[in-house]
Amino acid sequence: QLAEITHAQSTSFPPQVSKGFDPEKHLKKVGIANQTTMYKKETLAIGKLFEKTMMMKFGPEEVQERFAAFDTICDATQERQDAIQEMVQEPGAKDELDFILVVGGWDSSNTAHLVEIPHSAGIEAYHVNQADCIKADNSITYRDVDGEIKTKKDFLPLDRPAVIGVTSGASTPDAYVQESLEQLFLLKGLSKA
């Protein structure tokens, strides 16, 4: 395992490694802390890899002295990720949902992760940072899963009821979500007039 980490480190992250650093020689203890908005499963998997590596190098009796992982995952972030994951895994979700509206800052890591979940399930997702992204001409300006800002016309079906999932980033004010929903309701109301 240590050889795998050493190889990956030298080929994938050369600028992030101190010159002369040799894990075989210098790596005696490891502590894992991460950005609070990472996926919990990914964080746990990375921690297990390092824990296993330290166990193999120093033995199971020393692993608690040589490895520590700190749970810094934000509960609100995890709850939203779990909820959107559950939503996209519902039977028929891909066929029934018109899209998922994700409200939150375009520079927010946890909000960007919320867009990745429906995208990976093949469900359209629109990440807006404010209600003004939803226009009266039935267009939406959104940040896509790759971080590009795009505009799509006729995004909301006006000729039939729409089925929409809604979520928001952990620090997104409720008012931003409410205002975005009001824009959608306004569009649907205008289409009936």
Side-chain angles (χ1 to χ4, degrees):
Q1 289 285 336
L2 194 54
E4 288 177 30
I5 290 173
T6 304
H7 177 72
Q9 172 191 59
S10 64
T11 57
S12 301
F13 307 109
Q16 287 78 19
V17 177
S18 300
K19 187 175 182 173
F21 178 76
D22 178 358
E24 289 289 343
K25 182 178 171 185
H26 299 112
L27 192 62
K28 305 291 183 207
K29 292 185 178 187
V30 174
I32 303 277
N34 64 296
Q35 182 177 353
T36 62
T37 57
M38 281 183 67
Y39 290 123
K40 192 169 198 163
K41 289 178 186 174
E42 289 176 1
T43 300
L44 293 173
I46 292 166
K48 287 292 178 194
L49 173 67
F50 276 99
E51 181 180 33
K52 184 178 176 183
T53 301
M54 298 309 279
M55 192 179 302
M56 290 174 66
K57 184 173 181 180
F58 297 104
E61 61 282 347
E62 288 193 41
V63 77
Q64 286 192 356
E65 281 294 313
R66 298 190 177 269
F67 173 78
F70 307 96
D71 184 2
T72 58
I73 299 294
C74 169
D75 288 337
T77 296
Q78 189 61 47
E79 288 169 10
R80 283 165 169 76
Q81 290 173 358
D82 291 346
I84 200 83
Q85 188 70 47
E86 191 175 312
M87 184 188 303
V88 302
Q89 289 177 344
E90 283 286 318
K94 187 174 179 180
D95 296 322
E96 293 174 17
L97 282 169
D98 288 298
F99 60 87
I100 294 177
L101 182 69
V102 181
V103 183
W106 281 342
D107 59 349
S108 165
S109 174
N110 79 78
T111 307
H113 285 315
L114 293 173
V115 176
E116 293 169 0
I117 296 169
H119 176 78
S120 66
I123 297 172
E124 189 79 54
Y126 299 114
H127 174 186
V128 299
N129 66 342
Q130 57 189 1
D132 291 350
C133 291
I134 302 167
K135 307 286 187 201
D137 67 354
N138 195 19
S139 67
I140 188 168
T141 300
Y142 65 100
R143 181 182 184 271
D144 74 5
V145 72
D146 297 318
E148 291 183 50
I149 306 303
K150 296 182 174 180
T151 299
K152 182 173 181 178
K153 294 178 186 266
D154 301 319
F155 79 101
L156 182 65
L158 300 176
D159 59 340
R160 61 176 174 77
V163 180
I164 303 167
V166 180
T167 189
S168 63
S171 60
T172 303
D174 291 342
Y176 285 27
V177 178
Q178 181 67 34
E179 291 164 2
S180 297
L181 290 173
E182 287 171 2
Q183 287 291 97
L184 293 175
F185 291 133
L186 182 62
L187 276 176
K188 289 299 280 182
L190 288 175
S191 72
K192 292 180 182 178

